[in-house]
Amino acid sequence: MDTKLKLIIQIPCFNEAETLAVALAELPRHVEGFDKTEWLIIDDGSKDDTVEVAKACGVDHIIKHTHNQGLAKAFMTGLDACLKAGADVIINTDADNQYNAADIPNLVKPILSGDAEFVIGERPIQAIEHFSPIKKFLQKLGSTVVRMASKTNIPDAPSGFRAITRNVAQRLVVFSAYTYTLETIIQAGQQNIAIVSVPVGVNDDLRPSRLVKSITSYVKRSIATIFRIFIIYRPFRFFGIMGTLLFSLGFIISARFLYFYFNGNGSGHIQSLILAAVLLGMGFQTILIAFIADLLAANRKLLEDIRYKTNVQFYNSKDEDNQ
């Protein structure tokens, strides 16, 4: 790649005044392979002194939301701002200093070598003491689901420490209001974007996770996210499996009724006949929905291509204006 490149490190922030200075103090001002390294924070409606801390620490770009819109929206706002600022590579990290900033050169190395366009920092999940067993299990489960849906091999899908190229940033779009981590990997896999992971270190816990307010809440949101992933990105498989199961169950029950009917005991199993008819009907309708959902998914991919081409034209014109 060209050695004259701009790297922007973005940090989504929501009431991070207590930890932001610590995280920024660890960030590099120069990364080998890049002509410029800049910092950008997205203030997601903070009520504390997050912006003042950022200014005092010399942050180059500060983007503000008038009210809290969630991590996923803040991430996308950051990508848009980084693209407008002319970033060739964007790194996303957290304001709580969870990730070891010394690993940033390793994070961008596959991009600079041309081996990947999307790099995920893989944390040593099992060795992180402040992660509960349930959280570790859900992290592993979420990564497994993402690998199935995206056909990638990313062991730590929920990791927010990642580097992406300008091309990838122009392609990504997040539907979830909760988090961006899983969806973006799936999109990369579906669009045949070269994605890899590299081992990264983590620092001591400075504050409780904002996403994991309670184990119950985390479990509910994780399950909902996993189902949503399959419905959006693997609709034919999701509805096809559901429809096949319902239809098969109805077929088995109907076969059972016919067995009794031909043996002269059909009058005592009318309930089975009704249940079989309902299940067969539901199964058939669900399979039809699978085909309709597959057509919608194909339409979504076309819209993503249109959005990408529009973004390329828009951001390229911005770059020309800034020159």
Side-chain angles (χ1 to χ4, degrees), residues 110-191:
I111 291 178
L112 292 172
S113 64
D115 294 325
E117 288 191 277
F118 197 156
V119 185
I120 309 292
E122 178 190 351
R123 299 164 293 177
I125 297 294
Q126 298 303 319
I128 301 177
E129 295 181 357
H130 60 269
F131 277 18
S132 68
I134 294 179
K135 184 175 180 180
K136 290 179 180 179
F137 170 75
L138 289 173
Q139 295 271 9
K140 185 176 181 179
L141 177 61
S143 296
T144 301
V145 171
V146 169
R147 286 196 295 272
M148 292 172 59
S150 65
K151 296 182 180 180
T152 63
N153 188 28
I154 302 300
D156 185 14
S159 172
F161 195 33
R162 46 188 62 196
I164 61 177
T165 64
R166 182 180 184 84
N167 175 63
V168 173
Q170 290 171 337
R171 289 182 177 276
L172 296 179
V173 57
V174 178
F175 298 100
S176 172
Y178 180 52
T179 182
Y180 59 88
T181 55
L182 307 184
E183 275 195 57
T184 49
I185 295 174
I186 294 170
Q187 287 181 28
Q190 288 200 328
Q191 296 176 19

Coordinates of all heavy atoms in Angstrom, one line a residue, residues 110-191:
P110 N -1.9 -6.6 8.9 CA -2.5 -7.3 7.8 C -3.0 -6.4 6.7 O -3.0 -6.7 5.5 CB -3.6 -8.1 8.4 CG -3.2 -8.3 9.9 CD -2.5 -7.0 10.2
I111 N -3.5 -5.2 7.1 CA -4.0 -4.2 6.1 C -2.8 -3.6 5.3 O -2.9 -3.5 4.1 CB -4.8 -3.1 6.8 CG1 -6.1 -3.7 7.4 CG2 -5.1 -2.0 5.8 CD1 -6.9 -2.7 8.1
L112 N -1.8 -3.2 6.0 CA -0.6 -2.6 5.3 C 0.1 -3.6 4.4 O 0.6 -3.3 3.3 CB 0.4 -2.1 6.4 CG 0.0 -0.9 7.2 CD1 1.0 -0.6 8.3 CD2 -0.2 0.3 6.3
S113 N 0.0 -4.9 4.8 CA 0.7 -5.9 3.9 C -0.3 -6.4 2.8 O 0.2 -7.1 1.9 CB 1.0 -7.2 4.7 OG -0.1 -7.8 5.3
G114 N -1.5 -5.9 2.8 CA -2.5 -6.3 1.7 C -3.1 -7.6 1.9 O -3.8 -8.1 1.0
D115 N -3.0 -8.2 3.1 CA -3.6 -9.5 3.4 C -5.0 -9.5 3.8 O -5.7 -10.5 3.8 CB -2.7 -10.3 4.5 CG -1.3 -10.6 4.0 OD1 -1.2 -10.9 2.8 OD2 -0.4 -10.5 4.8
A116 N -5.4 -8.3 4.3 CA -6.8 -8.1 4.8 C -7.3 -6.7 4.7 O -6.5 -5.8 4.6 CB -6.9 -8.6 6.2
E117 N -8.6 -6.5 4.7 CA -9.2 -5.2 4.8 C -9.9 -5.0 6.1 O -10.4 -3.8 6.3 CB -10.2 -5.0 3.6 CG -9.5 -4.9 2.2 CD -10.5 -4.4 1.2 OE1 -11.2 -5.3 0.6 OE2 -10.6 -3.2 0.9
F118 N -10.1 -6.0 6.8 CA -10.9 -5.9 8.1 C -10.1 -6.8 9.1 O -9.9 -8.0 8.9 CB -12.3 -6.5 7.8 CG -13.3 -6.1 8.9 CD1 -14.6 -6.1 8.5 CD2 -13.0 -5.8 10.2 CE1 -15.6 -5.7 9.5 CE2 -13.9 -5.5 11.1 CZ -15.2 -5.4 10.8
V119 N -9.7 -6.2 10.2 CA -8.9 -7.0 11.2 C -9.6 -6.8 12.6 O -9.9 -5.7 13.0 CB -7.5 -6.5 11.3 CG1 -6.7 -7.3 12.3 CG2 -6.8 -6.4 9.9
I120 N -9.8 -7.9 13.2 CA -10.5 -8.0 14.6 C -9.4 -8.3 15.6 O -8.7 -9.3 15.4 CB -11.6 -9.0 14.6 CG1 -12.6 -8.8 13.5 CG2 -12.3 -8.9 16.0 CD1 -13.4 -7.5 13.6
G121 N -9.4 -7.6 16.7 CA -8.5 -7.9 17.8 C -9.0 -9.0 18.7 O -10.1 -8.9 19.2
E122 N -8.3 -10.1 18.7 CA -8.8 -11.3 19.5 C -8.3 -11.2 20.9 O -7.1 -11.3 21.2 CB -8.3 -12.6 18.8 CG -8.8 -13.8 19.6 CD -8.1 -15.1 19.1 OE1 -7.4 -15.0 18.0 OE2 -8.2 -16.1 19.8
R123 N -9.2 -11.1 21.9 CA -8.9 -11.0 23.3 C -8.7 -12.4 23.9 O -9.3 -13.4 23.4 CB -10.0 -10.3 24.1 CG -10.2 -8.8 23.7 CD -11.5 -8.3 24.2 NE -12.7 -9.0 23.6 CZ -13.9 -8.8 23.9 NH1 -14.2 -8.0 24.9 NH2 -14.9 -9.5 23.3
P124 N -7.9 -12.5 24.9 CA -7.8 -13.8 25.6 C -9.0 -14.0 26.6 O -8.8 -13.9 27.8 CB -6.4 -13.7 26.4 CG -6.3 -12.2 26.6 CD -6.9 -11.5 25.5
I125 N -10.1 -14.3 26.0 CA -11.4 -14.3 26.8 C -11.3 -15.1 28.0 O -11.7 -14.7 29.1 CB -12.6 -14.8 25.9 CG1 -12.8 -13.8 24.7 CG2 -13.8 -14.9 26.7 CD1 -13.3 -12.5 25.1
Q126 N -10.8 -16.4 27.9 CA -10.8 -17.3 29.1 C -9.9 -16.8 30.2 O -10.1 -17.2 31.3 CB -10.4 -18.7 28.6 CG -11.4 -19.3 27.6 CD -12.8 -19.4 28.1 OE1 -13.1 -19.7 29.3 NE2 -13.8 -19.1 27.3
A127 N -9.0 -15.9 29.9 CA -8.0 -15.5 30.9 C -8.4 -14.1 31.5 O -7.8 -13.7 32.5 CB -6.6 -15.3 30.2
I128 N -9.5 -13.5 31.0 CA -10.0 -12.3 31.6 C -10.8 -12.5 32.9 O -11.9 -13.1 32.8 CB -10.9 -11.5 30.6 CG1 -10.1 -11.2 29.3 CG2 -11.3 -10.2 31.2 CD1 -10.8 -10.5 28.2
E129 N -10.2 -12.1 34.0 CA -10.8 -12.5 35.3 C -12.1 -11.8 35.6 O -13.0 -12.4 36.2 CB -9.8 -12.1 36.4 CG -8.5 -12.9 36.3 CD -7.6 -12.6 37.5 OE1 -7.9 -11.6 38.3 OE2 -6.5 -13.2 37.6
H130 N -12.3 -10.6 35.1 CA -13.6 -9.9 35.4 C -14.7 -10.3 34.5 O -15.8 -9.7 34.7 CB -13.4 -8.3 35.4 CG -12.9 -7.8 34.0 ND1 -11.6 -7.7 33.7 CD2 -13.6 -7.4 33.0 CE1 -11.5 -7.2 32.5 NE2 -12.7 -7.0 32.0
F131 N -14.5 -11.2 33.6 CA -15.6 -11.7 32.8 C -16.2 -12.9 33.5 O -15.5 -13.9 33.9 CB -15.1 -12.2 31.4 CG -15.0 -11.1 30.4 CD1 -15.0 -9.8 30.7 CD2 -14.9 -11.4 29.0 CE1 -14.9 -8.8 29.8 CE2 -14.8 -10.4 28.0 CZ -14.8 -9.1 28.4
S132 N -17.5 -12.9 33.8 CA -18.2 -14.0 34.4 C -18.2 -15.2 33.5 O -18.1 -15.1 32.3 CB -19.6 -13.6 34.8 OG -20.4 -13.4 33.7
P133 N -18.4 -16.4 34.1 CA -18.5 -17.6 33.3 C -19.7 -17.5 32.2 O -19.5 -18.0 31.1 CB -18.8 -18.7 34.3 CG -18.2 -18.2 35.5 CD -18.4 -16.7 35.5
I134 N -20.8 -16.9 32.6 CA -21.9 -16.8 31.7 C -21.5 -15.8 30.5 O -21.8 -16.1 29.4 CB -23.2 -16.2 32.4 CG1 -23.7 -17.2 33.4 CG2 -24.3 -15.9 31.4 CD1 -24.9 -16.8 34.2
K135 N -20.9 -14.7 30.9 CA -20.4 -13.8 29.8 C -19.4 -14.5 28.9 O -19.5 -14.3 27.6 CB -19.8 -12.6 30.4 CG -19.5 -11.5 29.3 CD -19.0 -10.2 30.0 CE -18.7 -9.2 28.9 NZ -18.2 -7.9 29.4
K136 N -18.5 -15.3 29.4 CA -17.6 -16.0 28.6 C -18.3 -16.9 27.6 O -17.9 -17.1 26.5 CB -16.5 -16.7 29.4 CG -15.6 -15.8 30.2 CD -14.6 -16.6 31.0 CE -13.7 -15.7 31.8 NZ -12.7 -16.4 32.7
F137 N -19.3 -17.7 28.2 CA -20.0 -18.6 27.4 C -20.8 -17.9 26.3 O -20.8 -18.4 25.1 CB -21.0 -19.4 28.3 CG -22.0 -20.2 27.5 CD1 -21.6 -21.4 26.9 CD2 -23.3 -19.8 27.3 CE1 -22.5 -22.2 26.2 CE2 -24.2 -20.5 26.6 CZ -23.8 -21.7 26.0
L138 N -21.4 -16.8 26.6 CA -22.2 -16.0 25.6 C -21.3 -15.4 24.5 O -21.6 -15.3 23.4 CB -23.0 -15.0 26.2 CG -24.2 -15.5 27.1 CD1 -24.9 -14.4 27.8 CD2 -25.2 -16.2 26.2
Q139 N -20.1 -15.0 25.0 CA -19.1 -14.5 24.0 C -18.8 -15.6 23.0 O -18.7 -15.3 21.8 CB -17.9 -14.0 24.7 CG -18.1 -12.8 25.6 CD -17.9 -11.5 24.9 OE1 -17.8 -11.4 23.7 NE2 -17.9 -10.4 25.7
K140 N -18.5 -16.8 23.5 CA -18.2 -17.9 22.7 C -19.3 -18.3 21.8 O -19.1 -18.6 20.6 CB -17.7 -19.1 23.5 CG -17.2 -20.3 22.7 CD -16.7 -21.4 23.7 CE -16.2 -22.6 22.9 NZ -15.7 -23.6 23.8
L141 N -20.6 -18.3 22.3 CA -21.7 -18.7 21.6 C -22.0 -17.6 20.4 O -22.3 -18.0 19.3 CB -23.0 -18.7 22.5 CG -24.3 -19.0 21.8 CD1 -24.3 -20.4 21.1 CD2 -25.5 -19.0 22.8
G142 N -21.9 -16.4 20.8 CA -22.1 -15.3 19.8 C -21.1 -15.4 18.7 O -21.4 -15.3 17.5
S143 N -19.8 -15.7 19.0 CA -18.8 -15.9 18.0 C -19.1 -17.1 17.1 O -18.8 -17.0 15.9 CB -17.4 -16.0 18.6 OG -17.0 -14.9 19.3
T144 N -19.6 -18.2 17.7 CA -19.9 -19.4 16.9 C -21.0 -19.1 15.9 O -21.0 -19.5 14.7 CB -20.3 -20.5 17.8 OG1 -19.3 -20.8 18.7 CG2 -20.7 -21.8 17.0
V145 N -22.1 -18.4 16.4 CA -23.2 -18.0 15.5 C -22.7 -17.1 14.4 O -23.1 -17.3 13.2 CB -24.3 -17.3 16.3 CG1 -25.3 -16.7 15.4 CG2 -24.9 -18.3 17.3
V146 N -21.8 -16.2 14.7 CA -21.3 -15.3 13.6 C -20.5 -16.0 12.6 O -20.6 -15.8 11.4 CB -20.5 -14.1 14.3 CG1 -19.7 -13.4 13.2 CG2 -21.4 -13.2 15.1
R147 N -19.7 -17.0 13.1 CA -18.9 -17.8 12.1 C -19.9 -18.6 11.2 O -19.6 -18.7 10.0 CB -18.0 -18.7 12.9 CG -16.8 -18.0 13.5 CD -15.7 -19.0 13.9 NE -16.1 -20.0 14.9 CZ -16.0 -19.7 16.2 NH1 -15.5 -18.6 16.6 NH2 -16.4 -20.6 17.1
M148 N -21.0 -19.1 11.7 CA -21.9 -19.8 10.9 C -22.6 -18.9 9.9 O -22.8 -19.3 8.7 CB -23.0 -20.5 11.8 CG -22.4 -21.6 12.7 SD -23.6 -22.2 13.9 CE -25.0 -22.7 12.8
A149 N -23.0 -17.7 10.4 CA -23.7 -16.8 9.5 C -22.9 -16.1 8.5 O -23.3 -15.8 7.4 CB -24.5 -15.8 10.3
S150 N -21.6 -15.9 8.8 CA -20.7 -15.1 7.9 C -19.7 -16.0 7.1 O -19.1 -15.5 6.2 CB -19.9 -14.1 8.8 OG -19.0 -14.8 9.7
K151 N -19.6 -17.3 7.5 CA -18.6 -18.1 6.9 C -17.2 -17.6 7.0 O -16.4 -17.6 6.1 CB -19.0 -18.4 5.4 CG -20.3 -19.1 5.2 CD -20.6 -19.4 3.8 CE -21.9 -20.1 3.6 NZ -22.3 -20.4 2.2
T152 N -16.9 -17.0 8.2 CA -15.6 -16.5 8.5 C -15.1 -17.3 9.7 O -15.8 -18.2 10.2 CB -15.6 -15.0 8.9 OG1 -16.4 -14.8 10.1 CG2 -16.2 -14.1 7.8
N153 N -13.9 -17.0 10.1 CA -13.3 -17.8 11.2 C -12.7 -16.8 12.2 O -11.5 -16.8 12.5 CB -12.1 -18.7 10.6 CG -11.6 -19.6 11.7 OD1 -12.3 -20.0 12.6 ND2 -10.3 -20.0 11.6
I154 N -13.6 -16.0 12.8 CA -13.3 -15.0 13.8 C -13.6 -15.5 15.2 O -14.8 -15.7 15.5 CB -14.0 -13.6 13.5 CG1 -13.7 -13.1 12.1 CG2 -13.6 -12.6 14.6 CD1 -12.2 -12.9 11.9
P155 N -12.6 -15.8 16.0 CA -12.9 -16.4 17.3 C -13.4 -15.4 18.4 O -14.0 -15.9 19.3 CB -11.5 -16.9 17.7 CG -10.5 -16.1 17.0 CD -11.2 -15.7 15.7
D156 N -13.3 -14.1 18.2 CA -13.8 -13.2 19.2 C -14.6 -12.1 18.4 O -14.2 -10.9 18.3 CB -12.6 -12.5 19.9 CG -13.0 -11.6 21.0 OD1 -14.2 -11.7 21.4 OD2 -12.2 -10.8 21.5
A157 N -15.8 -12.5 18.0 CA -16.6 -11.6 17.2 C -17.1 -10.4 18.0 O -17.2 -9.3 17.4 CB -17.9 -12.4 16.7
P158 N -17.4 -10.4 19.3 CA -17.8 -9.2 20.0 C -16.7 -8.2 20.3 O -17.0 -7.1 20.8 CB -18.3 -9.8 21.4 CG -18.6 -11.3 21.1 CD -17.5 -11.7 20.2
S159 N -15.5 -8.5 19.9 CA -14.4 -7.5 20.2 C -14.6 -6.2 19.4 O -14.9 -6.2 18.2 CB -13.1 -8.1 19.7 OG -12.0 -7.2 19.8
G160 N -14.5 -5.1 20.1 CA -14.7 -3.8 19.5 C -13.4 -3.2 19.0 O -13.3 -2.1 18.5
F161 N -12.3 -3.9 19.2 CA -10.9 -3.4 18.8 C -10.7 -3.9 17.4 O -10.4 -5.1 17.2 CB -9.9 -4.0 19.8 CG -8.5 -3.3 19.7 CD1 -8.4 -1.9 19.4 CD2 -7.4 -4.0 20.0 CE1 -7.2 -1.3 19.3 CE2 -6.1 -3.4 19.9 CZ -6.1 -2.0 19.6
R162 N -10.8 -3.1 16.4 CA -10.8 -3.5 15.0 C -10.2 -2.4 14.1 O -10.3 -1.2 14.4 CB -12.2 -3.9 14.6 CG -13.3 -3.0 15.0 CD -14.7 -3.5 14.6 NE -14.9 -4.8 15.4 CZ -15.9 -5.6 15.1 NH1 -16.7 -5.3 14.1 NH2 -16.1 -6.7 15.8
A163 N -9.7 -2.8 13.0 CA -9.2 -1.9 12.0 C -9.8 -2.2 10.7 O -9.9 -3.4 10.3 CB -7.6 -2.0 11.9
I164 N -10.3 -1.2 10.0 CA -10.9 -1.4 8.7 C -10.4 -0.4 7.7 O -10.0 0.7 8.0 CB -12.4 -1.3 8.8 CG1 -12.9 0.1 9.3 CG2 -13.0 -2.4 9.7 CD1 -14.4 0.3 9.3
T165 N -10.4 -0.8 6.4 CA -10.0 0.1 5.4 C -11.1 1.1 5.0 O -12.3 0.9 5.3 CB -9.6 -0.7 4.1 OG1 -10.7 -1.4 3.6 CG2 -8.5 -1.7 4.4
R166 N -10.8 2.1 4.2 CA -11.7 3.0 3.7 C -12.8 2.3 2.9 O -14.0 2.6 3.0 CB -11.0 4.1 2.9 CG -11.9 5.2 2.3 CD -11.1 6.2 1.5 NE -11.9 7.3 1.1 CZ -12.2 8.4 1.8 NH1 -11.7 8.4 3.1 NH2 -12.9 9.3 1.4
N167 N -12.4 1.4 2.1 CA -13.3 0.6 1.2 C -14.4 -0.1 2.1 O -15.6 -0.1 1.8 CB -12.6 -0.3 0.3 CG -13.5 -1.2 -0.5 OD1 -14.3 -0.8 -1.3 ND2 -13.4 -2.5 -0.2
V168 N -13.9 -0.7 3.1 CA -14.9 -1.5 4.0 C -15.8 -0.5 4.7 O -17.0 -0.8 4.8 CB -14.1 -2.4 5.0 CG1 -15.0 -3.0 6.0 CG2 -13.3 -3.4 4.3
A169 N -15.3 0.6 5.2 CA -16.1 1.5 5.9 C -17.2 2.1 5.1 O -18.3 2.4 5.6 CB -15.2 2.7 6.4
Q170 N -17.0 2.2 3.8 CA -18.0 2.7 2.9 C -19.1 1.6 2.6 O -20.2 2.0 2.2 CB -17.4 3.1 1.5 CG -16.5 4.4 1.6 CD -15.7 4.6 0.4 OE1 -15.4 3.7 -0.4 NE2 -15.3 5.9 0.2
R171 N -18.8 0.4 2.9 CA -19.7 -0.7 2.6 C -20.6 -1.0 3.8 O -21.7 -1.5 3.7 CB -19.0 -2.0 2.2 CG -18.3 -1.9 0.9 CD -17.7 -3.2 0.5 NE -17.1 -3.3 -0.8 CZ -17.8 -3.6 -1.9 NH1 -19.1 -3.9 -1.8 NH2 -17.2 -3.5 -3.1
L172 N -20.1 -0.8 5.0 CA -20.8 -1.3 6.2 C -22.1 -0.5 6.6 O -22.1 0.8 6.4 CB -19.9 -1.2 7.4 CG -18.6 -2.1 7.4 CD1 -17.8 -2.0 8.7 CD2 -19.1 -3.6 7.2
V173 N -23.1 -1.2 7.0 CA -24.3 -0.5 7.5 C -24.8 -1.4 8.7 O -24.8 -2.6 8.5 CB -25.3 -0.3 6.4 CG1 -25.7 -1.6 5.8 CG2 -26.6 0.3 7.0
V174 N -25.2 -0.8 9.8 CA -25.6 -1.6 11.0 C -27.1 -1.3 11.2 O -27.6 -0.2 11.3 CB -24.8 -1.1 12.2 CG1 -25.3 -1.9 13.4 CG2 -23.3 -1.4 12.0
F175 N -27.9 -2.4 11.3 CA -29.3 -2.3 11.6 C -29.6 -2.3 13.1 O -30.5 -1.8 13.5 CB -30.0 -3.5 10.9 CG -29.9 -3.5 9.4 CD1 -29.0 -4.4 8.8 CD2 -30.7 -2.7 8.7 CE1 -28.9 -4.4 7.4 CE2 -30.6 -2.7 7.3 CZ -29.7 -3.6 6.7
S176 N -28.7 -3.0 13.9 CA -29.0 -3.1 15.3 C -28.7 -1.8 16.0 O -27.8 -1.1 15.7 CB -28.0 -4.2 15.9 OG -28.1 -4.2 17.3
A177 N -29.6 -1.5 17.0 CA -29.4 -0.4 17.8 C -28.5 -0.7 19.1 O -28.2 0.2 19.8 CB -30.7 0.2 18.3
Y178 N -28.2 -2.0 19.3 CA -27.5 -2.4 20.5 C -26.0 -2.4 20.3 O -25.3 -1.7 21.0 CB -28.0 -3.8 20.9 CG -27.4 -4.4 22.1 CD1 -27.4 -3.7 23.3 CD2 -26.8 -5.6 22.1 CE1 -26.8 -4.2 24.4 CE2 -26.3 -6.2 23.2 CZ -26.3 -5.5 24.4 OH -25.7 -6.0 25.5
T179 N -25.5 -3.1 19.3 CA -24.1 -3.2 19.1 C -23.8 -3.4 17.6 O -24.7 -4.0 16.9 CB -23.4 -4.2 20.0 OG1 -22.0 -4.2 19.7 CG2 -24.0 -5.6 19.6
Y180 N -22.6 -3.0 17.2 CA -22.2 -3.2 15.8 C -21.3 -4.4 15.5 O -21.1 -4.8 14.4 CB -21.4 -1.9 15.4 CG -20.2 -1.7 16.2 CD1 -19.0 -2.3 15.9 CD2 -20.3 -1.0 17.4 CE1 -17.9 -2.2 16.7 CE2 -19.2 -0.9 18.2 CZ -18.0 -1.5 17.9 OH -16.9 -1.4 18.7
T181 N -20.8 -5.0 16.6 CA -19.7 -5.9 16.4 C -20.1 -7.2 15.6 O -19.3 -7.6 14.7 CB -19.2 -6.4 17.8 OG1 -20.3 -6.9 18.6 CG2 -18.6 -5.2 18.6
L182 N -21.2 -7.8 15.8 CA -21.6 -9.0 15.1 C -22.0 -8.8 13.7 O -21.6 -9.5 12.8 CB -22.7 -9.8 15.9 CG -22.4 -10.0 17.4 CD1 -23.6 -10.8 18.0 CD2 -21.1 -10.7 17.6
E183 N -22.8 -7.8 13.5 CA -23.4 -7.5 12.2 C -22.3 -7.2 11.2 O -22.3 -7.6 10.0 CB -24.4 -6.3 12.2 CG -25.8 -6.8 12.6 CD -26.8 -5.7 12.3 OE1 -26.8 -5.2 11.1 OE2 -27.5 -5.2 13.2
T184 N -21.3 -6.3 11.6 CA -20.3 -5.9 10.6 C -19.4 -7.1 10.2 O -19.0 -7.1 9.0 CB -19.4 -4.8 11.3 OG1 -19.0 -5.3 12.6 CG2 -20.2 -3.5 11.4
I185 N -19.2 -8.0 11.0 CA -18.4 -9.2 10.6 C -19.2 -10.0 9.6 O -18.7 -10.5 8.6 CB -18.0 -10.1 11.8 CG1 -17.1 -9.3 12.7 CG2 -17.4 -11.4 11.4 CD1 -16.8 -10.0 14.0
I186 N -20.5 -10.2 9.9 CA -21.4 -11.0 9.0 C -21.4 -10.3 7.6 O -21.4 -11.0 6.5 CB -22.8 -11.1 9.5 CG1 -22.7 -12.0 10.8 CG2 -23.7 -11.8 8.5 CD1 -24.0 -12.0 11.6
Q187 N -21.6 -9.0 7.6 CA -21.6 -8.3 6.3 C -20.3 -8.4 5.6 O -20.3 -8.6 4.3 CB -21.9 -6.8 6.6 CG -23.3 -6.5 7.0 CD -23.5 -5.0 7.2 OE1 -22.8 -4.1 6.6 NE2 -24.4 -4.6 8.0
A188 N -19.2 -8.4 6.3 CA -17.9 -8.6 5.6 C -17.8 -10.0 5.0 O -17.3 -10.1 3.9 CB -16.8 -8.4 6.7
G189 N -18.3 -11.0 5.7 CA -18.3 -12.3 5.2 C -19.1 -12.5 4.0 O -18.7 -13.1 3.0
Q190 N -20.3 -11.9 4.0 CA -21.2 -12.0 2.9 C -20.7 -11.2 1.6 O -21.0 -11.6 0.5 CB -22.6 -11.5 3.3 CG -23.4 -12.4 4.2 CD -24.8 -12.1 4.2 OE1 -25.3 -11.0 4.0 NE2 -25.6 -13.1 4.4
Q191 N -20.0 -10.2 1.9 CA -19.5 -9.4 0.7 C -18.1 -9.8 0.3 O -17.4 -9.1 -0.5 CB -19.5 -7.9 1.1 CG -20.9 -7.4 1.4 CD -20.9 -5.9 1.9 OE1 -19.9 -5.2 1.7 NE2 -22.0 -5.5 2.5

